[in-house]
Amino acid sequence: MAPSIAVENLNPKVLKCEYAVRGEIVIHAQRLQQQLQNQPGSLPFDELCRPPFLFLPSQILYCNIGNPQSLGQQPVTFFREVLALCDHPCLLEKEETKSLFSADAISRAKQILATIPGRATGAYSHSQGIKGLRDAIAAGISTRDGFPANADDIFITDGASPGVHMMMQLLIRNEKDGILCPIPQYPLYSASIALHGGALVPYYLDEKTGWGLEISDLKKQLEDARSKGIDVRALVVINPGNPTGQVLAEDNQCDIVKFCKNEGLILLADEVYQENIYVDNKKFNSFKKIARSMGYGEDDLPLVSFQSVSKGYYGECGKRGGYMEITGFSAPVREQIYKVASVNLCSNITGQILASLVMNPPKVGDESYASYKAEKDGILQSLARRAKALEDAFNNLEGISCNKAEGAMYLFPQIRLPQKAIEAAKAANKAPDAFYALRLLESTGIVVVPGSGFGQVPGTWHIRCTILPQEEKIPAVITRFKAFHEAFMAEYRD
């Protein structure tokens, strides 16, 4: 007999799981991209590839995901030099290498290779990651926070996502275990909770106050969940926010730490955008730093902090590097975390090396420091200008309002759609913002994610758009978006 497999008999947790960032809109974009390759000029936005628009050769502009290098951002030279030398160590024996690579990149590569058994970057490592690289990450955390960090608390992962999945796998026992998540939220959390069979307990960020996080709302949602028999295990906080771009104030973070301590919750701190701050009156503070500054030690608060090489100014998404730092867990619990990590053997070594580098970049006095700082500052300053240009453009369009992007890589404008558009979306069996995003894609080649994929206050509609197209392309993005939006609103005006 042929094996019997159909959608109807798949794991229902998989069927319940959704990930809008690579969902329906993106799948349709990939079809259109294939159509353009087979039939050039067959879609109305083909001219975007020609001067003065100069879009990417694919003719589809993927603003759906924080994938900087896919949109033209260049990797940081120092990081790539070290990676090249680590992956091909025989270069270190060649005299000409000294003229091709900076002295500190050569020195760092030698230092890293000395921590890798057999200098073999193609071999498995310890399941938490190479000890010397975890030492480097812990040192970077200590420098950042002003409080000690321990390499034994570091689990290097293939990006931040596996760390999130690992924690959900550990915390969720059944459908009565809940995780408090912000709404809007990065769909990794809703997807992971669904896959592991738990309950997402939402708390709403306040759009009117710049996506503020109110402790009173947290308390209300927690009490409501508990009244329904849900055992709320943890609180997820994304800072800087995704998709909303806000940066938490220090006093707000203190309140969150107190709340978790008082309510017996594990704090899951998504801090992957910690380098992406675009306003002068805000700065990034890790939740570990806040907790230690408040006098809370290891025994007071279970805390997991996530970091990734995919974001920041480095944008090394394809290298799949990141880590989680776990503090406040007992030895028996840590053994179980290690057991889950060991099932996957180890994270990739290139990502491990990059994670150590982003936490320990060149310092003043190093040969590469000046060029490294110029590259870093150039990327972050450009991102800030792009965010401001897109924010202003959205706010100048009828029916759109957009909060300031204080950090991260996205804008999350609210779109007040005409009733006729909402009815047309209903007739097409689409959420109104998904209907809008599909029309935008088909008219312009610009890919965004509907806000319904992130969660939003019922009756409101949003899109998430990255700020990542290269700066010289932003005027073309704005021009094309404006023309589409004005035509859309005219077509469906009540």
Side-chain angles (χ1 to χ4, degrees), residues 396-428:
N396 282 324
L397 292 174
E398 176 192 0
I400 296 184
S401 59
C402 184
N403 282 334
K404 186 179 186 64
E406 297 177 334
M409 294 178 171
Y410 316 99
L411 292 167
F412 198 66
Q414 181 177 159
I415 305 176
R416 289 173 290 280
L417 295 169
Q419 188 60 35
K420 283 184 181 178
I422 294 172
E423 290 167 2
K426 184 177 181 181

PDB file of all heavy atoms in Angstrom, residues 396-428:
ATOM      1  N   ASN A 396       2.387  61.366   5.079  1.00  0.00           N
ATOM      2  CA  ASN A 396       1.861  62.343   4.114  1.00  0.00           C
ATOM      3  C   ASN A 396       0.814  61.744   3.181  1.00  0.00           C
ATOM      4  O   ASN A 396       0.318  62.438   2.291  1.00  0.00           O
ATOM      5  CB  ASN A 396       3.008  62.930   3.284  1.00  0.00           C
ATOM      6  CG  ASN A 396       3.782  63.981   4.057  1.00  0.00           C
ATOM      7  OD1 ASN A 396       3.206  64.733   4.833  1.00  0.00           O
ATOM      8  ND2 ASN A 396       5.098  64.019   3.875  1.00  0.00           N
ATOM      9  N   LEU A 397       0.470  60.470   3.386  1.00  0.00           N
ATOM     10  CA  LEU A 397      -0.517  59.818   2.538  1.00  0.00           C
ATOM     11  C   LEU A 397      -1.872  59.759   3.229  1.00  0.00           C
ATOM     12  O   LEU A 397      -1.956  59.565   4.455  1.00  0.00           O
ATOM     13  CB  LEU A 397      -0.060  58.399   2.179  1.00  0.00           C
ATOM     14  CG  LEU A 397       1.158  58.305   1.257  1.00  0.00           C
ATOM     15  CD1 LEU A 397       1.586  56.857   1.097  1.00  0.00           C
ATOM     16  CD2 LEU A 397       0.874  58.930  -0.101  1.00  0.00           C
ATOM     17  N   GLU A 398      -2.915  59.903   2.451  1.00  0.00           N
ATOM     18  CA  GLU A 398      -4.278  59.855   2.973  1.00  0.00           C
ATOM     19  C   GLU A 398      -4.539  58.534   3.700  1.00  0.00           C
ATOM     20  O   GLU A 398      -4.273  57.450   3.191  1.00  0.00           O
ATOM     21  CB  GLU A 398      -5.272  59.994   1.806  1.00  0.00           C
ATOM     22  CG  GLU A 398      -6.730  59.851   2.214  1.00  0.00           C
ATOM     23  CD  GLU A 398      -7.669  59.712   1.023  1.00  0.00           C
ATOM     24  OE1 GLU A 398      -7.179  59.719  -0.125  1.00  0.00           O
ATOM     25  OE2 GLU A 398      -8.888  59.601   1.248  1.00  0.00           O
ATOM     26  N   GLY A 399      -5.058  58.641   4.918  1.00  0.00           N
ATOM     27  CA  GLY A 399      -5.489  57.451   5.629  1.00  0.00           C
ATOM     28  C   GLY A 399      -4.378  56.635   6.268  1.00  0.00           C
ATOM     29  O   GLY A 399      -4.634  55.542   6.779  1.00  0.00           O
ATOM     30  N   ILE A 400      -3.131  57.140   6.243  1.00  0.00           N
ATOM     31  CA  ILE A 400      -2.019  56.391   6.828  1.00  0.00           C
ATOM     32  C   ILE A 400      -1.401  57.208   7.953  1.00  0.00           C
ATOM     33  O   ILE A 400      -1.173  58.409   7.814  1.00  0.00           O
ATOM     34  CB  ILE A 400      -0.939  56.035   5.786  1.00  0.00           C
ATOM     35  CG1 ILE A 400      -1.516  55.085   4.732  1.00  0.00           C
ATOM     36  CG2 ILE A 400       0.273  55.403   6.456  1.00  0.00           C
ATOM     37  CD1 ILE A 400      -0.480  54.603   3.714  1.00  0.00           C
ATOM     38  N   SER A 401      -1.135  56.556   9.074  1.00  0.00           N
ATOM     39  CA  SER A 401      -0.383  57.176  10.159  1.00  0.00           C
ATOM     40  C   SER A 401       0.710  56.211  10.581  1.00  0.00           C
ATOM     41  O   SER A 401       0.504  54.998  10.625  1.00  0.00           O
ATOM     42  CB  SER A 401      -1.295  57.502  11.351  1.00  0.00           C
ATOM     43  OG  SER A 401      -1.921  56.328  11.837  1.00  0.00           O
ATOM     44  N   CYS A 402       1.880  56.766  10.881  1.00  0.00           N
ATOM     45  CA  CYS A 402       3.046  55.926  11.149  1.00  0.00           C
ATOM     46  C   CYS A 402       3.843  56.490  12.319  1.00  0.00           C
ATOM     47  O   CYS A 402       4.281  57.635  12.282  1.00  0.00           O
ATOM     48  CB  CYS A 402       3.926  55.830   9.898  1.00  0.00           C
ATOM     49  SG  CYS A 402       5.340  54.722  10.069  1.00  0.00           S
ATOM     50  N   ASN A 403       4.031  55.663  13.343  1.00  0.00           N
ATOM     51  CA  ASN A 403       4.870  56.066  14.469  1.00  0.00           C
ATOM     52  C   ASN A 403       6.341  56.090  14.064  1.00  0.00           C
ATOM     53  O   ASN A 403       6.757  55.405  13.121  1.00  0.00           O
ATOM     54  CB  ASN A 403       4.686  55.108  15.648  1.00  0.00           C
ATOM     55  CG  ASN A 403       3.404  55.378  16.417  1.00  0.00           C
ATOM     56  OD1 ASN A 403       2.892  56.494  16.422  1.00  0.00           O
ATOM     57  ND2 ASN A 403       2.878  54.361  17.066  1.00  0.00           N
ATOM     58  N   LYS A 404       7.121  56.843  14.818  1.00  0.00           N
ATOM     59  CA  LYS A 404       8.551  56.951  14.569  1.00  0.00           C
ATOM     60  C   LYS A 404       9.234  55.615  14.814  1.00  0.00           C
ATOM     61  O   LYS A 404       8.914  54.907  15.772  1.00  0.00           O
ATOM     62  CB  LYS A 404       9.144  58.015  15.489  1.00  0.00           C
ATOM     63  CG  LYS A 404      10.615  58.338  15.239  1.00  0.00           C
ATOM     64  CD  LYS A 404      11.085  59.411  16.199  1.00  0.00           C
ATOM     65  CE  LYS A 404      12.490  59.856  15.876  1.00  0.00           C
ATOM     66  NZ  LYS A 404      12.622  60.500  14.571  1.00  0.00           N
ATOM     67  N   ALA A 405      10.178  55.263  13.941  1.00  0.00           N
ATOM     68  CA  ALA A 405      11.012  54.081  14.165  1.00  0.00           C
ATOM     69  C   ALA A 405      12.196  54.504  15.035  1.00  0.00           C
ATOM     70  O   ALA A 405      13.140  55.119  14.562  1.00  0.00           O
ATOM     71  CB  ALA A 405      11.505  53.513  12.843  1.00  0.00           C
ATOM     72  N   GLU A 406      12.110  54.180  16.326  1.00  0.00           N
ATOM     73  CA  GLU A 406      13.208  54.514  17.231  1.00  0.00           C
ATOM     74  C   GLU A 406      14.364  53.524  17.083  1.00  0.00           C
ATOM     75  O   GLU A 406      15.510  53.836  17.403  1.00  0.00           O
ATOM     76  CB  GLU A 406      12.713  54.507  18.676  1.00  0.00           C
ATOM     77  CG  GLU A 406      11.652  55.545  18.958  1.00  0.00           C
ATOM     78  CD  GLU A 406      11.119  55.478  20.374  1.00  0.00           C
ATOM     79  OE1 GLU A 406      11.163  54.390  20.982  1.00  0.00           O
ATOM     80  OE2 GLU A 406      10.663  56.522  20.878  1.00  0.00           O
ATOM     81  N   GLY A 407      14.031  52.324  16.610  1.00  0.00           N
ATOM     82  CA  GLY A 407      15.038  51.284  16.453  1.00  0.00           C
ATOM     83  C   GLY A 407      14.538  50.179  15.550  1.00  0.00           C
ATOM     84  O   GLY A 407      13.514  50.309  14.882  1.00  0.00           O
ATOM     85  N   ALA A 408      15.308  49.079  15.519  1.00  0.00           N
ATOM     86  CA  ALA A 408      15.014  47.901  14.698  1.00  0.00           C
ATOM     87  C   ALA A 408      15.125  48.231  13.210  1.00  0.00           C
ATOM     88  O   ALA A 408      15.885  49.128  12.822  1.00  0.00           O
ATOM     89  CB  ALA A 408      13.669  47.279  15.055  1.00  0.00           C
ATOM     90  N   MET A 409      14.348  47.558  12.351  1.00  0.00           N
ATOM     91  CA  MET A 409      14.514  47.687  10.895  1.00  0.00           C
ATOM     92  C   MET A 409      13.194  47.868  10.158  1.00  0.00           C
ATOM     93  O   MET A 409      13.124  47.614   8.955  1.00  0.00           O
ATOM     94  CB  MET A 409      15.207  46.434  10.333  1.00  0.00           C
ATOM     95  CG  MET A 409      16.632  46.233  10.785  1.00  0.00           C
ATOM     96  SD  MET A 409      17.336  44.712  10.109  1.00  0.00           S
ATOM     97  CE  MET A 409      19.064  44.912  10.605  1.00  0.00           C
ATOM     98  N   TYR A 410      12.148  48.307  10.873  1.00  0.00           N
ATOM     99  CA  TYR A 410      10.817  48.276  10.269  1.00  0.00           C
ATOM    100  C   TYR A 410      10.001  49.511  10.621  1.00  0.00           C
ATOM    101  O   TYR A 410      10.221  50.165  11.642  1.00  0.00           O
ATOM    102  CB  TYR A 410      10.040  47.037  10.766  1.00  0.00           C
ATOM    103  CG  TYR A 410      10.867  45.790  10.778  1.00  0.00           C
ATOM    104  CD1 TYR A 410      11.451  45.330  11.956  1.00  0.00           C
ATOM    105  CD2 TYR A 410      11.108  45.079   9.598  1.00  0.00           C
ATOM    106  CE1 TYR A 410      12.244  44.197  11.965  1.00  0.00           C
ATOM    107  CE2 TYR A 410      11.907  43.942   9.606  1.00  0.00           C
ATOM    108  CZ  TYR A 410      12.472  43.517  10.790  1.00  0.00           C
ATOM    109  OH  TYR A 410      13.268  42.399  10.804  1.00  0.00           O
ATOM    110  N   LEU A 411       9.015  49.770   9.760  1.00  0.00           N
ATOM    111  CA  LEU A 411       7.925  50.678  10.078  1.00  0.00           C
ATOM    112  C   LEU A 411       6.636  49.867  10.056  1.00  0.00           C
ATOM    113  O   LEU A 411       6.510  48.889   9.292  1.00  0.00           O
ATOM    114  CB  LEU A 411       7.856  51.820   9.075  1.00  0.00           C
ATOM    115  CG  LEU A 411       9.037  52.806   9.130  1.00  0.00           C
ATOM    116  CD1 LEU A 411       9.041  53.712   7.917  1.00  0.00           C
ATOM    117  CD2 LEU A 411       9.002  53.626  10.415  1.00  0.00           C
ATOM    118  N   PHE A 412       5.676  50.274  10.888  1.00  0.00           N
ATOM    119  CA  PHE A 412       4.417  49.523  11.003  1.00  0.00           C
ATOM    120  C   PHE A 412       3.249  50.505  10.918  1.00  0.00           C
ATOM    121  O   PHE A 412       2.546  50.749  11.890  1.00  0.00           O
ATOM    122  CB  PHE A 412       4.405  48.755  12.327  1.00  0.00           C
ATOM    123  CG  PHE A 412       3.404  47.638  12.398  1.00  0.00           C
ATOM    124  CD1 PHE A 412       3.523  46.521  11.584  1.00  0.00           C
ATOM    125  CD2 PHE A 412       2.356  47.681  13.305  1.00  0.00           C
ATOM    126  CE1 PHE A 412       2.613  45.479  11.659  1.00  0.00           C
ATOM    127  CE2 PHE A 412       1.433  46.651  13.402  1.00  0.00           C
ATOM    128  CZ  PHE A 412       1.566  45.534  12.578  1.00  0.00           C
ATOM    129  N   PRO A 413       3.074  51.120   9.742  1.00  0.00           N
ATOM    130  CA  PRO A 413       2.026  52.139   9.610  1.00  0.00           C
ATOM    131  C   PRO A 413       0.625  51.545   9.681  1.00  0.00           C
ATOM    132  O   PRO A 413       0.376  50.431   9.197  1.00  0.00           O
ATOM    133  CB  PRO A 413       2.299  52.728   8.226  1.00  0.00           C
ATOM    134  CG  PRO A 413       3.008  51.651   7.474  1.00  0.00           C
ATOM    135  CD  PRO A 413       3.827  50.925   8.489  1.00  0.00           C
ATOM    136  N   GLN A 414      -0.286  52.319  10.265  1.00  0.00           N
ATOM    137  CA  GLN A 414      -1.706  51.950  10.263  1.00  0.00           C
ATOM    138  C   GLN A 414      -2.359  52.531   9.019  1.00  0.00           C
ATOM    139  O   GLN A 414      -2.127  53.688   8.664  1.00  0.00           O
ATOM    140  CB  GLN A 414      -2.413  52.487  11.506  1.00  0.00           C
ATOM    141  CG  GLN A 414      -3.884  52.096  11.549  1.00  0.00           C
ATOM    142  CD  GLN A 414      -4.611  52.538  12.794  1.00  0.00           C
ATOM    143  OE1 GLN A 414      -5.840  52.634  12.808  1.00  0.00           O
ATOM    144  NE2 GLN A 414      -3.873  52.813  13.866  1.00  0.00           N
ATOM    145  N   ILE A 415      -3.179  51.711   8.361  1.00  0.00           N
ATOM    146  CA  ILE A 415      -3.873  52.127   7.152  1.00  0.00           C
ATOM    147  C   ILE A 415      -5.369  52.089   7.415  1.00  0.00           C
ATOM    148  O   ILE A 415      -5.928  51.019   7.718  1.00  0.00           O
ATOM    149  CB  ILE A 415      -3.508  51.216   5.956  1.00  0.00           C
ATOM    150  CG1 ILE A 415      -1.988  51.185   5.763  1.00  0.00           C
ATOM    151  CG2 ILE A 415      -4.207  51.692   4.685  1.00  0.00           C
ATOM    152  CD1 ILE A 415      -1.530  50.237   4.680  1.00  0.00           C
ATOM    153  N   ARG A 416      -6.011  53.229   7.321  1.00  0.00           N
ATOM    154  CA  ARG A 416      -7.463  53.301   7.509  1.00  0.00           C
ATOM    155  C   ARG A 416      -8.119  53.106   6.132  1.00  0.00           C
ATOM    156  O   ARG A 416      -8.171  54.032   5.319  1.00  0.00           O
ATOM    157  CB  ARG A 416      -7.846  54.634   8.153  1.00  0.00           C
ATOM    158  CG  ARG A 416      -7.436  54.715   9.606  1.00  0.00           C
ATOM    159  CD  ARG A 416      -7.653  56.079  10.230  1.00  0.00           C
ATOM    160  NE  ARG A 416      -6.738  57.081   9.702  1.00  0.00           N
ATOM    161  CZ  ARG A 416      -5.475  57.220  10.089  1.00  0.00           C
ATOM    162  NH1 ARG A 416      -4.968  56.401  10.999  1.00  0.00           N
ATOM    163  NH2 ARG A 416      -4.709  58.158   9.570  1.00  0.00           N
ATOM    164  N   LEU A 417      -8.569  51.893   5.915  1.00  0.00           N
ATOM    165  CA  LEU A 417      -9.081  51.509   4.604  1.00  0.00           C
ATOM    166  C   LEU A 417     -10.544  51.894   4.446  1.00  0.00           C
ATOM    167  O   LEU A 417     -11.335  51.790   5.397  1.00  0.00           O
ATOM    168  CB  LEU A 417      -8.930  49.998   4.412  1.00  0.00           C
ATOM    169  CG  LEU A 417      -7.489  49.477   4.365  1.00  0.00           C
ATOM    170  CD1 LEU A 417      -7.472  47.961   4.445  1.00  0.00           C
ATOM    171  CD2 LEU A 417      -6.795  49.948   3.100  1.00  0.00           C
ATOM    172  N   PRO A 418     -10.931  52.315   3.239  1.00  0.00           N
ATOM    173  CA  PRO A 418     -12.353  52.583   2.980  1.00  0.00           C
ATOM    174  C   PRO A 418     -13.187  51.320   3.153  1.00  0.00           C
ATOM    175  O   PRO A 418     -12.697  50.203   2.959  1.00  0.00           O
ATOM    176  CB  PRO A 418     -12.364  53.063   1.518  1.00  0.00           C
ATOM    177  CG  PRO A 418     -10.955  53.447   1.207  1.00  0.00           C
ATOM    178  CD  PRO A 418     -10.090  52.580   2.063  1.00  0.00           C
ATOM    179  N   GLN A 419     -14.467  51.513   3.503  1.00  0.00           N
ATOM    180  CA  GLN A 419     -15.355  50.367   3.696  1.00  0.00           C
ATOM    181  C   GLN A 419     -15.471  49.527   2.430  1.00  0.00           C
ATOM    182  O   GLN A 419     -15.549  48.290   2.491  1.00  0.00           O
ATOM    183  CB  GLN A 419     -16.744  50.854   4.139  1.00  0.00           C
ATOM    184  CG  GLN A 419     -17.681  49.723   4.549  1.00  0.00           C
ATOM    185  CD  GLN A 419     -17.148  48.898   5.698  1.00  0.00           C
ATOM    186  OE1 GLN A 419     -16.492  49.423   6.603  1.00  0.00           O
ATOM    187  NE2 GLN A 419     -17.400  47.592   5.667  1.00  0.00           N
ATOM    188  N   LYS A 420     -15.436  50.173   1.274  1.00  0.00           N
ATOM    189  CA  LYS A 420     -15.517  49.416   0.013  1.00  0.00           C
ATOM    190  C   LYS A 420     -14.327  48.475  -0.139  1.00  0.00           C
ATOM    191  O   LYS A 420     -14.467  47.354  -0.647  1.00  0.00           O
ATOM    192  CB  LYS A 420     -15.571  50.379  -1.175  1.00  0.00           C
ATOM    193  CG  LYS A 420     -16.921  51.030  -1.396  1.00  0.00           C
ATOM    194  CD  LYS A 420     -16.891  51.892  -2.652  1.00  0.00           C
ATOM    195  CE  LYS A 420     -18.227  52.587  -2.883  1.00  0.00           C
ATOM    196  NZ  LYS A 420     -18.187  53.456  -4.086  1.00  0.00           N
ATOM    197  N   ALA A 421     -13.162  48.908   0.293  1.00  0.00           N
ATOM    198  CA  ALA A 421     -11.987  48.046   0.220  1.00  0.00           C
ATOM    199  C   ALA A 421     -12.120  46.874   1.181  1.00  0.00           C
ATOM    200  O   ALA A 421     -11.742  45.735   0.856  1.00  0.00           O
ATOM    201  CB  ALA A 421     -10.721  48.855   0.539  1.00  0.00           C
ATOM    202  N   ILE A 422     -12.657  47.140   2.363  1.00  0.00           N
ATOM    203  CA  ILE A 422     -12.864  46.072   3.346  1.00  0.00           C
ATOM    204  C   ILE A 422     -13.858  45.046   2.810  1.00  0.00           C
ATOM    205  O   ILE A 422     -13.664  43.830   2.950  1.00  0.00           O
ATOM    206  CB  ILE A 422     -13.330  46.670   4.688  1.00  0.00           C
ATOM    207  CG1 ILE A 422     -12.201  47.533   5.287  1.00  0.00           C
ATOM    208  CG2 ILE A 422     -13.756  45.589   5.661  1.00  0.00           C
ATOM    209  CD1 ILE A 422     -12.606  48.336   6.508  1.00  0.00           C
ATOM    210  N   GLU A 423     -14.895  45.530   2.154  1.00  0.00           N
ATOM    211  CA  GLU A 423     -15.882  44.619   1.572  1.00  0.00           C
ATOM    212  C   GLU A 423     -15.298  43.827   0.409  1.00  0.00           C
ATOM    213  O   GLU A 423     -15.578  42.628   0.245  1.00  0.00           O
ATOM    214  CB  GLU A 423     -17.108  45.414   1.120  1.00  0.00           C
ATOM    215  CG  GLU A 423     -17.933  45.966   2.281  1.00  0.00           C
ATOM    216  CD  GLU A 423     -18.968  46.999   1.845  1.00  0.00           C
ATOM    217  OE1 GLU A 423     -19.060  47.253   0.612  1.00  0.00           O
ATOM    218  OE2 GLU A 423     -19.665  47.538   2.712  1.00  0.00           O
ATOM    219  N   ALA A 424     -14.473  44.469  -0.409  1.00  0.00           N
ATOM    220  CA  ALA A 424     -13.809  43.769  -1.514  1.00  0.00           C
ATOM    221  C   ALA A 424     -12.872  42.692  -0.972  1.00  0.00           C
ATOM    222  O   ALA A 424     -12.775  41.592  -1.546  1.00  0.00           O
ATOM    223  CB  ALA A 424     -13.038  44.757  -2.376  1.00  0.00           C
ATOM    224  N   ALA A 425     -12.187  42.990   0.123  1.00  0.00           N
ATOM    225  CA  ALA A 425     -11.309  42.001   0.749  1.00  0.00           C
ATOM    226  C   ALA A 425     -12.106  40.811   1.259  1.00  0.00           C
ATOM    227  O   ALA A 425     -11.715  39.648   1.072  1.00  0.00           O
ATOM    228  CB  ALA A 425     -10.531  42.645   1.893  1.00  0.00           C
ATOM    229  N   LYS A 426     -13.246  41.103   1.875  1.00  0.00           N
ATOM    230  CA  LYS A 426     -14.106  40.033   2.386  1.00  0.00           C
ATOM    231  C   LYS A 426     -14.589  39.147   1.245  1.00  0.00           C
ATOM    232  O   LYS A 426     -14.610  37.911   1.354  1.00  0.00           O
ATOM    233  CB  LYS A 426     -15.290  40.634   3.141  1.00  0.00           C
ATOM    234  CG  LYS A 426     -16.188  39.599   3.798  1.00  0.00           C
ATOM    235  CD  LYS A 426     -17.309  40.276   4.585  1.00  0.00           C
ATOM    236  CE  LYS A 426     -18.200  39.219   5.253  1.00  0.00           C
ATOM    237  NZ  LYS A 426     -19.319  39.857   6.013  1.00  0.00           N
ATOM    238  N   ALA A 427     -14.962  39.766   0.129  1.00  0.00           N
ATOM    239  CA  ALA A 427     -15.423  39.002  -1.034  1.00  0.00           C
ATOM    240  C   ALA A 427     -14.313  38.119  -1.595  1.00  0.00           C
ATOM    241  O   ALA A 427     -14.570  37.042  -2.142  1.00  0.00           O
ATOM    242  CB  ALA A 427     -15.935  39.955  -2.115  1.00  0.00           C
ATOM    243  N   ALA A 428     -13.059  38.577  -1.451  1.00  0.00           N
ATOM    244  CA  ALA A 428     -11.909  37.803  -1.929  1.00  0.00           C
ATOM    245  C   ALA A 428     -11.394  36.838  -0.865  1.00  0.00           C
ATOM    246  O   ALA A 428     -10.390  36.154  -1.085  1.00  0.00           O
ATOM    247  CB  ALA A 428     -10.786  38.749  -2.345  1.00  0.00           C
TER     248      ALA A 428
END
